[in-house]
Amino acid sequence: MTGTKRHTIGDVTLNYRIDGEGEPLVCIHGVGSYLEAWSGVVERLKDRFTILTFDLRGHGHSSRVKGRYEIDDFVNETLALADRAGFSTFNLAGFSLGGLIAQRLALTHLERLRRLVLLSTVAGRTAAERERVLERLAALRAGTPADHHNSSLSRWLTEDFQEQNPEVIERLRARDAGNDPDCYASAYRVLAETDFGGFLDQIRCPTLIATGEDDVGSNPRMACYMQERIPGSALRILPGLRHSILIEAPDVVATLMADFLRQGEKVDG
């Protein structure tokens, strides 16, 4: 089952895609990104999972909704697409903002989840970390997504990767320049102001947490913080990587996810 489709939920029309066959898996991208961010992972997992990817509201080919976004807007739209795909329960993976959406979904609809994967995401920010992300939000509001791209590229990807993959960098630059500034800022506000650190012990499903060793935003300290609070969770710190692990190391991410989700096939039947 493969194809790009559209589904309308209230005033929002979402662009989504279903690939592969097998265990249901929903993947949520980060701020300013789009469903294709998961392509490298999907290509490696589609022989054993039915994978739902989609453009969040305000992103890609989904509706460019203006105004304030709330985390529950993203959660409700994720669930509506899972329903549309026929997933009564599913594995869930979220990257960055997608990881915050995944945390919230696990806290409010745990009965829908089989296993949870949190990639390059945040929880338990310190006062200094909160200040820094709010400064980035203010700079984004004063500039454009392209400006944000230029100031953030080396936070996302290593210099070696940038030098060796100029076509990828150009594609990312064009994507960010094409983002709607208001939608980008609305989504980034959710990322900057949301923190479920005090509630993580309520997540009671098998969980894998992974981040890049050199990710300064979704840093290893936060990953350890999450692992300490989510009962029975597993932690992987990925050497030599920064934030955009889906782009720079899809093979590493796919292998981690496959190994973790395969445990569910054995234990949960």
Coordinates of all heavy atoms in Angstrom, one line a residue, residues 181-227:
P181 N 6.4 31.8 6.9 CA 7.0 32.3 8.1 C 6.1 32.3 9.3 O 6.5 32.0 10.4 CB 7.4 33.8 7.8 CG 7.5 33.8 6.3 CD 6.5 32.8 5.8
D182 N 4.8 32.6 9.1 CA 3.9 32.6 10.3 C 3.6 31.1 10.8 O 3.6 30.9 12.0 CB 2.5 33.2 9.8 CG 2.6 34.7 9.6 OD1 3.6 35.3 10.1 OD2 1.8 35.2 8.8
C183 N 3.5 30.2 9.8 CA 3.3 28.8 10.2 C 4.5 28.2 10.9 O 4.4 27.5 11.9 CB 3.0 28.0 9.0 SG 1.4 28.4 8.2
Y184 N 5.7 28.6 10.4 CA 6.9 28.1 11.0 C 7.1 28.6 12.4 O 7.3 27.9 13.3 CB 8.1 28.7 10.1 CG 9.4 28.0 10.4 CD1 10.0 27.3 9.3 CD2 10.1 28.1 11.5 CE1 11.3 26.7 9.5 CE2 11.4 27.5 11.7 CZ 11.9 26.8 10.7 OH 13.2 26.2 10.9
A185 N 6.8 29.9 12.6 CA 6.9 30.5 14.0 C 5.8 29.9 14.9 O 6.1 29.7 16.1 CB 6.7 32.0 13.9
S186 N 4.6 29.6 14.4 CA 3.6 29.0 15.2 C 4.0 27.6 15.7 O 3.8 27.3 16.9 CB 2.3 29.0 14.4 OG 1.7 30.2 14.2
A187 N 4.6 26.9 14.8 CA 5.0 25.5 15.2 C 6.2 25.6 16.1 O 6.4 24.8 17.1 CB 5.4 24.7 14.0
Y188 N 7.2 26.5 15.8 CA 8.4 26.7 16.7 C 8.0 27.1 18.1 O 8.7 26.7 19.1 CB 9.3 27.6 16.0 CG 10.8 27.5 16.5 CD1 11.6 26.6 15.9 CD2 11.2 28.1 17.7 CE1 12.9 26.4 16.4 CE2 12.5 28.0 18.1 CZ 13.4 27.1 17.5 OH 14.6 26.9 18.0
R189 N 6.9 27.9 18.2 CA 6.5 28.3 19.6 C 6.1 27.1 20.4 O 6.5 27.0 21.6 CB 5.3 29.3 19.5 CG 4.9 29.8 20.9 CD 3.5 30.3 20.9 NE 2.5 29.2 20.7 CZ 2.1 28.3 21.7 NH1 2.6 28.4 22.9 NH2 1.3 27.4 21.4
V190 N 5.4 26.1 19.8 CA 5.1 24.9 20.5 C 6.3 24.2 21.0 O 6.4 23.7 22.1 CB 4.2 24.0 19.6 CG1 3.9 22.7 20.3 CG2 2.9 24.7 19.3
L191 N 7.3 24.1 20.1 CA 8.6 23.4 20.4 C 9.2 24.2 21.6 O 9.7 23.5 22.5 CB 9.5 23.4 19.2 CG 10.9 22.9 19.5 CD1 10.9 21.4 19.9 CD2 11.8 23.1 18.3
A192 N 9.3 25.5 21.5 CA 10.0 26.3 22.5 C 9.4 26.3 23.8 O 10.1 26.4 24.9 CB 10.2 27.7 21.9
E193 N 8.1 26.3 23.9 CA 7.4 26.5 25.1 C 6.8 25.3 25.8 O 6.2 25.3 26.9 CB 6.2 27.5 24.9 CG 6.7 28.9 24.5 CD 5.6 29.9 24.3 OE1 4.4 29.5 24.5 OE2 5.9 31.1 23.9
T194 N 7.0 24.1 25.2 CA 6.4 22.9 25.7 C 7.4 22.0 26.4 O 8.5 21.8 25.9 CB 5.8 22.0 24.5 OG1 4.8 22.8 23.9 CG2 5.1 20.8 25.1
D195 N 7.1 21.5 27.5 CA 8.0 20.6 28.3 C 7.1 19.7 29.2 O 6.4 20.2 30.0 CB 8.9 21.4 29.1 CG 10.1 20.6 29.6 OD1 9.9 19.5 30.1 OD2 11.3 21.2 29.5
F196 N 7.2 18.4 29.0 CA 6.5 17.4 29.7 C 7.3 16.7 30.8 O 7.0 15.6 31.2 CB 5.8 16.4 28.8 CG 4.8 17.0 27.9 CD1 5.0 17.0 26.5 CD2 3.7 17.6 28.4 CE1 4.1 17.6 25.6 CE2 2.7 18.2 27.5 CZ 2.9 18.2 26.1
G197 N 8.5 17.3 31.1 CA 9.4 16.7 32.0 C 8.8 16.1 33.3 O 9.2 15.1 33.8
G198 N 7.9 16.9 33.9 CA 7.3 16.5 35.2 C 6.2 15.4 35.1 O 5.8 14.9 36.1
F199 N 5.9 14.9 33.8 CA 4.9 14.0 33.6 C 5.4 12.6 33.0 O 4.6 11.7 32.8 CB 3.8 14.5 32.7 CG 3.2 15.8 33.3 CD1 3.7 17.0 32.8 CD2 2.1 15.8 34.2 CE1 3.1 18.2 33.3 CE2 1.6 17.0 34.7 CZ 2.1 18.2 34.2
L200 N 6.6 12.6 32.7 CA 7.1 11.4 32.0 C 7.0 10.1 32.6 O 6.9 9.1 32.0 CB 8.6 11.7 31.6 CG 8.9 12.8 30.7 CD1 10.4 12.9 30.5 CD2 8.2 12.7 29.4
D201 N 6.9 10.1 34.0 CA 6.7 8.8 34.7 C 5.4 8.2 34.4 O 5.1 7.0 34.7 CB 6.9 9.0 36.2 CG 5.9 9.9 36.8 OD1 5.3 10.7 36.1 OD2 5.7 9.8 38.0
Q202 N 4.5 8.9 33.8 CA 3.1 8.4 33.4 C 3.1 7.7 32.1 O 2.1 7.1 31.7 CB 2.1 9.6 33.3 CG 1.9 10.3 34.7 CD 1.0 11.5 34.5 OE1 0.1 11.5 33.7 NE2 1.2 12.5 35.4
I203 N 4.2 7.8 31.3 CA 4.3 7.0 30.1 C 4.7 5.6 30.4 O 5.8 5.3 30.8 CB 5.4 7.7 29.1 CG1 4.9 9.1 28.8 CG2 5.6 6.8 27.9 CD1 5.9 9.9 27.9
R204 N 3.8 4.7 30.2 CA 3.9 3.3 30.6 C 3.8 2.4 29.4 O 3.1 1.4 29.4 CB 2.9 2.9 31.6 CG 3.0 3.7 32.9 CD 4.4 3.6 33.6 NE 4.5 4.4 34.8 CZ 4.3 3.9 36.0 NH1 4.0 2.7 36.2 NH2 4.5 4.7 37.1
C205 N 4.6 2.7 28.3 CA 4.7 1.7 27.2 C 6.2 1.6 26.9 O 7.0 2.5 27.3 CB 4.0 2.2 26.0 SG 4.5 3.7 25.2
P206 N 6.7 0.5 26.3 CA 8.1 0.4 26.0 C 8.5 1.6 25.1 O 7.9 1.9 24.1 CB 8.1 -0.9 25.2 CG 6.9 -1.7 25.6 CD 5.9 -0.7 25.9
T207 N 9.6 2.2 25.5 CA 10.1 3.5 24.9 C 11.6 3.4 24.6 O 12.4 3.0 25.5 CB 9.8 4.7 25.9 OG1 8.4 4.7 26.1 CG2 10.2 6.0 25.2
L208 N 11.9 3.9 23.4 CA 13.3 4.1 23.1 C 13.6 5.6 22.9 O 12.8 6.3 22.2 CB 13.6 3.4 21.7 CG 15.0 3.7 21.1 CD1 16.1 3.1 21.9 CD2 15.1 3.1 19.7
I209 N 14.7 6.0 23.5 CA 15.1 7.5 23.4 C 16.5 7.5 22.8 O 17.4 6.8 23.2 CB 15.2 8.1 24.8 CG1 13.8 8.0 25.5 CG2 15.7 9.5 24.8 CD1 13.9 7.9 27.0
A210 N 16.6 8.3 21.7 CA 17.9 8.5 21.1 C 18.1 9.9 20.6 O 17.2 10.6 20.3 CB 17.9 7.5 19.8
T211 N 19.4 10.3 20.7 CA 19.8 11.7 20.3 C 21.2 11.6 19.9 O 22.0 10.7 20.2 CB 19.5 12.7 21.4 OG1 19.4 14.0 20.8 CG2 20.6 12.8 22.4
G212 N 21.6 12.7 19.1 CA 23.0 12.8 18.7 C 23.9 13.2 19.9 O 23.5 14.1 20.7
E213 N 25.1 12.7 19.9 CA 26.1 13.0 21.0 C 26.4 14.5 21.0 O 26.6 15.1 22.1 CB 27.4 12.2 20.7 CG 28.5 12.5 21.6 CD 29.8 11.8 21.2 OE1 30.0 11.6 20.0 OE2 30.5 11.4 22.1
D214 N 26.3 15.2 19.8 CA 26.7 16.6 19.8 C 25.5 17.4 19.4 O 25.6 18.6 18.9 CB 27.8 16.8 18.7 CG 29.1 16.0 19.0 OD1 29.4 16.0 20.2 OD2 29.7 15.4 18.1
D215 N 24.3 17.0 19.8 CA 23.1 17.8 19.6 C 23.0 18.8 20.8 O 22.9 18.3 21.9 CB 21.8 16.9 19.6 CG 20.6 17.6 19.2 OD1 20.5 18.8 19.4 OD2 19.6 16.9 18.8
V216 N 23.1 20.1 20.5 CA 23.1 21.0 21.6 C 21.8 21.5 22.0 O 21.6 22.0 23.1 CB 23.9 22.3 21.1 CG1 25.4 21.9 20.9 CG2 23.3 23.0 19.9
G217 N 20.7 21.2 21.2 CA 19.4 21.6 21.6 C 18.7 20.4 22.3 O 18.2 20.5 23.5
S218 N 18.6 19.3 21.6 CA 18.0 18.1 22.2 C 19.1 17.2 22.7 O 19.5 16.2 22.2 CB 17.2 17.3 21.2 OG 16.3 18.2 20.5
N219 N 19.8 17.7 23.8 CA 21.1 17.2 24.1 C 21.0 15.9 24.9 O 20.0 15.5 25.4 CB 21.9 18.3 24.9 CG 21.1 18.7 26.1 OD1 20.7 17.9 27.0 ND2 20.9 20.0 26.3
P220 N 22.2 15.2 25.0 CA 22.2 14.0 25.8 C 21.8 14.1 27.2 O 21.2 13.1 27.8 CB 23.7 13.6 25.7 CG 24.2 14.1 24.4 CD 23.5 15.5 24.3
R221 N 22.0 15.2 27.9 CA 21.5 15.4 29.2 C 20.0 15.2 29.3 O 19.5 14.5 30.2 CB 21.9 16.8 29.8 CG 21.5 16.9 31.3 CD 21.4 18.4 31.7 NE 20.3 19.1 31.0 CZ 19.0 19.0 31.3 NH1 18.6 18.2 32.3 NH2 18.1 19.7 30.6
M222 N 19.3 15.8 28.3 CA 17.8 15.7 28.3 C 17.4 14.3 28.0 O 16.4 13.8 28.5 CB 17.2 16.7 27.3 CG 17.1 18.1 27.8 SD 16.1 19.1 26.7 CE 17.3 20.3 26.1
A223 N 18.2 13.6 27.1 CA 17.8 12.2 26.8 C 18.0 11.3 28.0 O 17.1 10.5 28.3 CB 18.8 11.7 25.6
C224 N 19.0 11.6 28.8 CA 19.2 10.8 30.0 C 18.1 11.1 31.0 O 17.6 10.2 31.7 CB 20.6 11.1 30.7 SG 22.0 10.5 29.7
Y225 N 17.7 12.4 31.1 CA 16.6 12.8 32.0 C 15.3 12.0 31.6 O 14.6 11.6 32.5 CB 16.4 14.3 31.8 CG 15.2 15.0 32.5 CD1 15.4 15.6 33.7 CD2 13.9 14.9 32.0 CE1 14.4 16.2 34.4 CE2 12.9 15.5 32.7 CZ 13.1 16.1 33.9 OH 12.0 16.7 34.5
M226 N 15.0 11.9 30.3 CA 13.8 11.2 29.9 C 13.9 9.7 30.2 O 13.0 9.1 30.8 CB 13.6 11.4 28.4 CG 13.1 12.7 28.0 SD 12.8 12.9 26.2 CE 14.4 13.4 25.6
Q227 N 15.1 9.1 30.0 CA 15.3 7.7 30.3 C 15.2 7.4 31.7 O 14.6 6.4 32.1 CB 16.7 7.3 29.7 CG 16.9 5.8 29.7 CD 17.4 5.2 31.0 OE1 18.2 5.9 31.7 NE2 17.1 4.0 31.3

